[in-house]
Amino acid sequence: MTFANLGLMPQLLQAVAKEGYATPTPIQEQAIPHVLQGKDLIGIAQTGTGKTAAFVLPILQLMSRSPRRVIPNSPRTLVLAPTRELAAQIDESFAAYGSFMKFWHTVVFGGVSQVAQVREISRGVDVLVATPGRLLDLMNQGHINLGHLEFFVLDEVDRMLDMGFIVDVKRIISKLPTHRQSLFFSATMSPRISELAKTLLRNPVRVEVAPQATTVRLVKQKVLFVDEGNKNAILLKLLRHEDLKCVLVFARTKRRANNVAKLLTGAGIQAEAIHGNKSQGQRTRALDNFKSGHARVLVATDIAARGIDIDDISHVINYDLPVGQIEYYVHRIGRTARAGAKGTAYSLCASYERDALREIESLIRMKIEVMPHSFHSDKARDAVGAAARPPPKQHRGQRRSDINRQRRGRFQSR
Ligand code: AMP
């Protein structure tokens, strides 16, 4: 199968060739012909499957086949995404795939001034990519009118609901014109998601790529059974290996993400942290540092990492397992097997995470290989180094268990 077989126009074929894509991914192969025929669509696919091109390419073609002058404040296409990073990446994809076409596009999200965003929109854009909160703000202020919308994409719906955007999304949907084409993408389907899909879509085609199977098969996975107090030392030990070149570390909370980044920086390993408490500028800087290779490690929480599009991640390390939200495990490890690449994922599993590990193994229908390690508390302390030296010995047992209790409490109420 080639992109030309999918019925894409020459300008788009040129763009995908420029991007270096040889063949369409399964979601592209299944979705693009239906979208080109004007059908509504539910795509069940996670980040990393090529789903962005699966909607951007056909929408660009449909818009170019029925040209229209831009109308100030009134986009033809609206794409809603849950995070600023994802919204920015989708906007970049429009720029990349549309590099041989003429159209106007822009992205709006919160956390930055709206002045430039309002200016762009009032000049008129064909494509608007937005996060729900900022879009609603701008709509309420009269800067955006969706009355002339032709194409609507709701991306990462599962994450959108997890992040509490359901009311905002429903408000936006209520303002859409009845005559439109709608595309709906989610990594998972649940009754709540299907219900939302029903309110939005008309006779949708359903296409599905099995993320679990494909991602899980491509990633070499290992688990290390550890004590909570040994996690820092074991992380540092893993990172001593030079083949861990571009590493994404997942921590359960913002505070833990910060602490891990501090630990690594103190040990001379260039690291950045990215989570919801960081400003847009800080996130962008952190991502740029990581992408350019200045920082070897990016420490992230699940929500912050969602939608980050970085191709060359060699390793994922789960400093914490995603207790309570085990499906994040598949999203996390999928970061290292983008578009067919192979990667490795290590999971540090403390005793309170054993249940989560069992649930994960049952979700992915395989046993994760146990990696032996020789860390006992004393050795671990030695390996941590001055930057992250734990408190004096006589207090440690007690303090550590107190800390663990607090951490568990915090996570559950997050
Ligand atoms: P997405 O799932 O949309 O986040 O895309 C994941 C990654 O796959 C992005 O870095 C894309 O540039 C890349 N990609 C998308 N389509 C293809 C393709 N047909 N061949 C190779 N890489 C692709």
Side-chain angles (χ1 to χ4, degrees), residues 3 21 23-25 28 46-52 309 311 338-339:
F3 280 103
Y21 304 167
T23 52
T25 65
Q28 292 162 2
Q46 67 168 123
T47 301
T49 54
K51 70 179 164 59
T52 315
D309 181 14
D311 284 338
R338 310 288 298 235

Side-chain angles (χ1 to χ4, degrees), residues 279-294:
S279 70
Q280 185 55 32
Q282 287 172 318
R283 286 173 183 224
T284 309
R285 262 195 307 281
L287 278 181
D288 287 348
N289 268 345
F290 185 57
K291 281 185 186 171
S292 65
H294 288 307

Side-chain angles (χ1 to χ4, degrees), residues 108 114 118 121 134-144:
V108 300
Q114 67 170 50
V118 168
I121 291 165
R134 177 55 61 98
L135 181 76
L136 266 182
D137 278 354
L138 296 176
M139 284 167 67
N140 291 338
Q141 296 168 48
H143 295 302
I144 295 172

